[in-house]
Amino acid sequence: MSIEEKLNNLTEENERLRKEQAELRNVIAQMKITLNRLMNRYITNTERFPEK
């Protein structure tokens, strides 16, 4: 495998990892929002949309 091929492979892997990292950051942000909402409900013991 030539140096150019190795460099190309590493560049592709780097791009894939950057995309994966961005997706994981989005998942973590969504989880934080959900956790905060659940903690708020637990602390206040109320629901945003009460059952009828």
Side-chain angles (χ1 to χ4, degrees), residues 4-46:
E4 291 83 15
E5 289 173 325
K6 289 180 182 179
L7 180 60
N8 188 41
N9 287 343
L10 290 173
T11 302
E12 289 174 0
E13 182 179 7
N14 188 37
E15 183 62 29
R16 181 185 58 80
L17 290 172
R18 286 181 188 272
K19 288 179 183 176
E20 186 176 315
Q21 181 184 33
E23 291 172 6
L24 290 172
R25 286 179 188 260
N26 287 336
V27 169
I28 290 171
Q30 292 171 1
M31 291 173 71
K32 284 182 179 180
I33 291 168
T34 301
L35 179 60
N36 287 338
R37 189 179 304 131
L38 289 171
M39 288 173 36
N40 188 42
R41 279 190 193 166
Y42 178 77
I43 291 169
T44 61
N45 198 23
T46 61

